[in-house]
Amino acid sequence: MHATTDKVRAVRYPLTGDFLAGRLRQNLRSEDLTYIENLVESVEEHGDGTCILERGARTECSTILIEGYVFRTIESGGKRFITGVHLPGDFIDLHGFALKRLDHNVVAAGKVRVGCVSHATLRRVMMDRPGVARAMWFATLLDAAIHRKWIQTLEQLDAPRRIAHLYAELRTRLELIGRVNSRALRTPFTQFDMADMCGVSAIHANRAVGKLKEMEIAEIRRGDLYTDDWDLLKKFARFDPDYLYGEGPLKLEDDWD
Amino acid sequence: MHATTDKVRAVRYPLTGDFLAGRLRQNLRSEDLTYIENLVESVEEHGDGTCILERGARTECSTILIEGYVFRTIESGGKRFITGVHLPGDFIDLHGFALKRLDHNVVAAGKVRVGCVSHATLRRVMMDRPGVARAMWFATLLDAAIHRKWIQTLEQLDAPRRIAHLYAELRTRLELIGRVNSRALRTPFTQFDMADMCGVSAIHANRAVGKLKEMEIAEIRRGDLYTDDWDLLKKFARFDPDYLYGEGPLKLEDDWD
DNA sequence: ATAGAAAGCTAACATCCGTCAATAGACGCT
DNA sequence: AGCGTCTATTGACGGATGTTAGCTTTCTAT
C-alpha cells in the first residue's frame, strides 16, 4: 500500500451512466436509478491506500462507490483491522449521513472512483422519494447482514476457509451487480489485506493461501483468485449465499410509494 | 438452556408505559415515543431458550424487545453461533420488515417480554411520520456499528479480552437506556453463551473467565459479572464506547420532519 | 536497465485454543 | 430431601495461529 495520488481529479459530470449497476439497482425502478445518478454532484478518483473518509469526520456529503474496492478499517494499537469491503454501487457512508459522525475509516484498495451526494440533497430525497429512501435503508440492512456473516465466519472457520469464504462472497456480490466476466476473480488485495480481513497474521494468511493451492481449491496470485471449480471452493468455505438476499427485486407493496 | 414455557401469555395492553426507554429514546420526542408505544399490538412472554423468530420465516409483524436479553444466532454444522445480543428497547427484526425474510434466528436468553407491531402499521408509520422512520433507520445503523465492533473484537482480542469487551459493551448500552443500578452486571448468560458470542469453545471461555478472576479484573458467576473497577476492565478490553454513539440526542435538521 | 521498495515465502519456536475425558457443583423437579 | 440435568471446572494432548527472522520474487520509479 503506497498512497501516491490523492485526488486525481474532481469533476462535475459526465457520469458513466451505468455506475449504479450496484446494490440499489435490485430495488429501484429505472426512473429512480436515473434520479439517483443525477444526484451525484462530483466524481473523484483516489489512488491505492488513500483514506477516503476518516474516523471522527463530520461530512457534508455521502459517497457512493463507482469503480474499485474500498475497505472499512479501524486502527488500534498500531494495527489495522478491516471490518468490511465494498464494491461498485455501494453507498459507503450513509451512516455518516444519519449518525453525523464516522466511527471508522474508509480506505481505497487499489484505484477507485467515487461519487458524492450532499447531505442536503439526501434530505430532500428522503422526503420526496420514499421509494429511494427505502432502497437506501435496504442497502444498510444488507450491510448489517454481511457484517453478521463475517462475525460467524470469524467464529466458525479456520484461516483457509475464511479466505475462501471471502472470495466466495465477493464472487456472488459481483455476480449480483453483473460484474463477472471470467472464471478468475481479480482484486487488488495483498496478503496483508486478506489477513486484516480474516483476523489472522499476514504470515498465516500466506500459509492459508498455500493450503488452498495445495488442496487444489484455488490459486491466489497477487490478489487474483483462479479456480476451476467455484462450487468446490464454496463448499469448502461452507458458503451459503442466503444472507446476500440475491433473489432479485423484492416484492414490495405499492402503497409504500 | 431448557425451553420450558413457550408463549406464556399474549395480551393486548396494558403496556409498561416505559418499555421504550431504549435505543429509540435518544432520537425521538416524547410524543413520538408515545406514538410508537401505542403501535404495539400485543405483548408476549417467552421462556429461556425459546426461538422467538426463525430463520427463513416471513413475518407479518416486527418485534421490539421490552424486557430481557435475546441473541441473534445462526446454526451451522450442529453448532450455534451468536452474532449479536439485544437489550430492552431494541427492535430485533426490522430487517424482517424490509428484507421480507430473516437470515438468522432470534432466541431468548432468559425470560423475555416482547412487543409486536404489524408490518401494515409500520408501513403507515414510514409514510406518516418521517421522524419515526428516521429513528428506526438510525437504530439499524447502530446495529451495524455494533456488528463492526464485534468483527474487530474477534480479529483483535484473545478470549479473556473478548469476554471483558462483551460485558463492557453491555454495561455501556445498559447505561444508555438507564438500566444500571449497581456495580454488578447481571445476565442470564451461561459460559456456553459467552463462548458462542466470543467465538471460542466453552472450555476456553471457562479458562478466560478464570483468568479474569485470577487477574482481579472481574469475577463472573453464572452470567453475573462483579468488579470493583469498571475502568480497569474497560482498559483491559481496550473498550472505546465511540461506536455506540451515546452522545445523546442527535442534532437533526428540523426540515426532516 | 537498474536499484529500491513492496510483496510473497519459509523455518523455528512459543502461545492460544480445541478436543476429549472426567469430576464437581448448582439448580429444578418430584 | 433426593435425584437428574445442566453448568462449571480441571488436566492432558494436539492442532492452529502469532511472532521473529531471513530470504526471494515482483513491481515500480528513475
Side-chain angles (χ1 to χ4, degrees):
Chain A
M1 280 294 177
H2 42 123
T4 48
T5 50
D6 200 8
K7 293 183 183 178
V8 175
R9 65 196 181 106
V11 299
R12 180 172 175 83
Y13 300 97
L15 299 176
T16 71
D18 193 39
F19 71 90
L20 267 175
R23 182 182 298 184
L24 291 169
R25 171 143 291 176
Q26 297 177 63
N27 305 315
L28 288 172
R29 295 180 300 250
S30 72
E31 65 201 67
D32 286 330
L33 284 168
T34 306
Y35 178 76
I36 290 188
E37 294 200 359
N38 288 326
L39 297 178
V40 173
E41 289 151 21
S42 67
V43 173
E44 293 178 359
E45 287 194 4
H46 298 279
D48 183 23
T50 307
C51 187
I52 302 173
L53 298 162
E54 202 143 3
R55 173 182 164 162
R58 292 160 190 276
T59 55
E60 276 312 309
C61 72
S62 275
T63 310
I64 188 167
L65 183 56
I66 298 175
E67 190 65 49
Y69 296 84
V70 301
F71 295 136
R72 299 189 184 279
T73 74
I74 299 178
E75 306 280 340
S76 176
K79 296 194 175 180
R80 177 189 68 161
F81 303 94
I82 298 178
T83 62
V85 59
H86 283 283
L87 277 43
D90 293 349
F91 258 107
I92 56 185
D93 61 346
L94 271 181
H95 54 293
F97 167 57
L99 296 172
K100 294 297 168 204
R101 166 170 71 77
L102 300 176
D103 58 341
H104 59 273
N105 303 320
V106 176
V107 176
K111 263 188 161 182
V112 304
R113 196 158 73 247
V114 298
C116 303
V117 182
S118 77
H119 288 175
T121 301
L122 279 179
R123 273 190 293 277
R124 182 161 46 76
V125 173
M126 301 296 276
M127 300 204 312
D128 297 351
R129 294 268 190 147
V132 175
R134 183 188 59 194
M136 293 197 295
W137 189 31
F138 288 178
T140 61
L141 287 168
L142 189 51
D143 281 336
I146 292 171
H147 286 147
R148 282 191 291 272
K149 181 56 76 171
W150 279 43
I151 290 171
Q152 186 200 347
T153 297
L154 290 165
E155 289 176 345
Q156 181 179 24
L157 304 179
D158 59 11
R161 278 176 236 269
R162 287 183 201 172
I163 290 182
H165 196 282
L166 170 66
Y167 277 91
E169 174 183 308
L170 289 176
R171 176 76 170 184
T172 304
R173 286 169 67 182
L174 287 168
E175 280 170 359
L176 288 173
I177 60 175
R179 296 217 173 205
V180 167
N181 45 25
S182 76
R183 267 220 309 268
L185 199 173
R186 289 172 216 289
T187 77
F189 306 159
T190 66
Q191 290 185 356
F192 286 89
D193 296 331
M194 298 173 209
D196 292 346
M197 282 187 270
C198 295
V200 298
S201 67
I203 287 167
H204 200 63
N206 177 268
R207 289 182 193 129
V209 168
K211 185 151 192 177
L212 290 175
K213 182 177 178 184
E214 180 197 322
M215 296 179 72
E216 298 188 336
I217 290 171
E219 196 172 334
I220 300 176
R221 290 196 302 268
R222 304 194 75 75
D224 301 334
L225 182 142
Y226 306 89
T227 182
D228 293 327
D229 191 345
W230 274 100
D231 287 338
L232 174 64
L233 184 148
K234 288 176 181 175
K235 189 178 175 189
F236 175 72
R238 298 176 200 166
F239 176 74
D240 177 349
D242 217 34
Y243 67 103
L244 293 174
Y245 290 89
E247 55 256 36
L250 302 167
K251 314 289 181 298
L252 290 163
E253 287 69 10
D254 282 338
D255 59 1
W256 258 63
D257 290 313
Chain B
M1 282 293 176
H2 42 121
T4 48
T5 52
D6 199 7
K7 292 182 184 177
V8 175
R9 64 195 182 103
V11 298
R12 182 174 174 84
Y13 300 99
L15 299 177
T16 70
D18 193 38
F19 70 89
L20 267 176
R23 181 182 297 182
L24 291 169
R25 171 143 291 175
Q26 298 177 63
N27 305 315
L28 288 172
R29 296 181 299 250
S30 72
E31 65 202 67
D32 286 329
L33 284 167
T34 305
Y35 178 76
I36 290 188
E37 294 200 359
N38 287 326
L39 297 179
V40 173
E41 288 152 20
S42 68
V43 174
E44 293 178 358
E45 288 194 3
H46 297 279
D48 183 23
T50 306
C51 188
I52 302 173
L53 299 161
E54 202 142 4
R55 173 182 163 162
R58 293 160 189 276
T59 56
E60 276 312 308
C61 71
S62 275
T63 310
I64 187 167
L65 183 57
I66 298 175
E67 191 65 49
Y69 295 84
V70 301
F71 296 135
R72 298 189 185 277
T73 74
I74 299 179
E75 306 281 340
S76 177
K79 296 194 174 180
R80 178 189 67 163
F81 302 94
I82 299 178
T83 62
V85 58
H86 283 282
L87 308 178
D90 293 350
F91 258 108
I92 56 184
D93 62 346
L94 272 181
H95 54 294
F97 168 56
L99 295 173
K100 293 298 168 203
R101 167 170 70 77
L102 299 175
D103 57 340
H104 59 273
N105 302 321
V106 177
V107 176
K111 263 188 161 181
V112 304
R113 196 156 73 245
V114 299
C116 303
V117 183
S118 77
H119 287 176
T121 302
L122 280 179
R123 274 190 292 276
R124 183 162 45 78
V125 172
M126 300 296 276
M127 302 204 313
D128 296 350
R129 294 270 190 144
V132 175
R134 183 188 58 193
M136 293 197 294
W137 189 31
F138 288 177
T140 61
L141 287 169
L142 189 51
D143 280 336
I146 292 172
H147 286 147
R148 282 190 291 271
K149 181 56 75 171
W150 279 43
I151 291 171
Q152 186 200 346
T153 297
L154 289 165
E155 289 177 345
Q156 180 180 25
L157 304 179
D158 59 12
R161 278 177 236 268
R162 286 183 202 172
I163 290 183
H165 196 282
L166 170 67
Y167 276 91
E169 174 183 307
L170 289 176
R171 175 76 170 185
T172 304
R173 286 169 66 182
L174 288 168
E175 280 170 358
L176 288 174
I177 60 175
R179 295 216 174 206
V180 166
N181 45 26
S182 77
R183 267 219 309 268
L185 198 173
R186 289 173 217 288
T187 77
F189 305 159
T190 67
Q191 290 184 357
F192 286 88
D193 296 330
M194 298 173 210
D196 291 347
M197 282 187 271
C198 295
V200 297
S201 68
I203 289 172
H204 200 64
N206 178 267
R207 291 183 192 127
V209 167
K211 184 151 190 174
L212 290 175
K213 181 177 179 184
E214 179 198 321
M215 295 179 73
E216 298 188 337
I217 290 172
E219 196 172 335
I220 300 176
R221 290 195 303 269
R222 304 195 74 74
D224 301 332
L225 182 144
Y226 306 89
T227 182
D228 294 327
D229 190 346
W230 274 99
D231 287 338
L232 175 63
L233 185 148
K234 288 176 181 175
K235 189 177 175 190
F236 176 72
R238 298 176 200 165
F239 176 73
D240 177 349
D242 217 32
Y243 68 103
L244 293 174
Y245 290 89
E247 56 255 36
L250 302 168
K251 314 288 181 298
L252 290 163
E253 287 70 9
D254 283 337
D255 60 3
W256 258 62
D257 290 313

